[in-house]
Amino acid sequence: MSTTSTTSALSAPGAPGALAPAPRPVLAGIPAYVPKPPAPPAEGPSHRLFLNENPYPPLPSVRETIARAAAQTNHYPTIHPERLMDALARRLDVPPGHLVTGPGSVGIYQQIGQAMLEPGDEVVYAWPSFEAYPIVARMAGAVPVEVPLVDGVHDLDAMAAAITPRTRAVFLCEPNNPTGTAVGTAELKRFLDRVPGDVLVVLDEAYFEFSRSPNASDGVELHHDRPNLLTLRTFSKAYGLAGLRVGYGVAQPAIAGALRKCAVPCGVGRIAEEAALTALRVRAELFERVERIVAERERTREALLGLGWEVLPSEANFLWLPAGEASESVAEEWERRGLLVRAFPRSGLRVTVGSPEVNDLLITAAAQTAPPSR
Ligand code: PMP
């Protein structure tokens, strides 16, 4: 019997008076993530410089681990990736109970929303910053409070002043995505001292390993005497495992335990866990690549500055070009040359640091494009 013949007119989709399950009203105000990716040219190679990915493919040792773990995918992983948590605890010199993991650090943001935010709570963060922040806040029914960056840098005084009795959390991206700037440990500590103890501070250190400032902050170190601090890091960037989705957070047990309760069970898969364990073991080799990326960041920035482009100093694996109104047209021009960068309309261009060859292509494109007049 066909299903159509047994479906009553009232329950047929689109029928007059049909009932339909309604998504939560807060979803109406949430933009669908992610913005349109840049379009590769019809011909010739193209280079992904729009997601702050690591340009280097996994090391052979990591690939072997992945292949081995692939043979066991009929088995569930453990609820939490306990072996990885133990390895991280040893590396970071923190008790395992201070750790939380997720499918990428964006996964942990969802846990923050579930564990820490109530409808109507305020969440303070800088803008522009990581694009997930308004989504996480809104999804929880919380109220985003955006504090403009000043010259691409967090305005910590204004952020402290934006905290009210309704503030439940502050999200602080250090170094900041998309501008690459960092406030440094002295400023950060001064800010943390001003945040009330019942306000959670999420210190997003996704790009921590690329920072070379002598004043760089280290949230793991800071968390020992700050019960309201949660530091997030990821295997996606420096460790080059973006495709496998492993992120982690460090906080004192009350916060870490609450977040673990909200984790998707088995949310970090077996292959991801094994690959992250191997990546930790071969860290020295991986971090030679990080050094190369840092050196390329500086070389590329100097070259672009020399060509008359404005480029902010960066502590991350990307550069921010505040190209203003020209941002979209420049991005389109570079797209035609296969350089897929991220344009923020009327604001700037975020360009991931690629391999030396790709950075050379970028420098050539920049030399052949008029920089916006200042
Ligand atoms: N935080 C920041 C600041 C990011 O830029 C990103 C990724 N672009 C993430 C978190 C999420 O990374 P992942 O989920 O891959 O760990």
Side-chain angles (χ1 to χ4, degrees), residues 51 103-106 109 130 133 173 177 204 206-207 234 236-237 245-247:
L51 284 175
S105 47
V106 283
Y109 276 107
F130 183 36
Y133 298 165
C173 192
N177 176 5
D204 187 335
Y207 302 97
T234 180
S236 296
K237 309 293 181 181
R245 319 303 303 123
V246 193

Side-chain angles (χ1 to χ4, degrees), residues 22-30 138:
R24 291 166 56 217
V26 292
L27 295 192
I30 297 175
R138 288 217 173 88

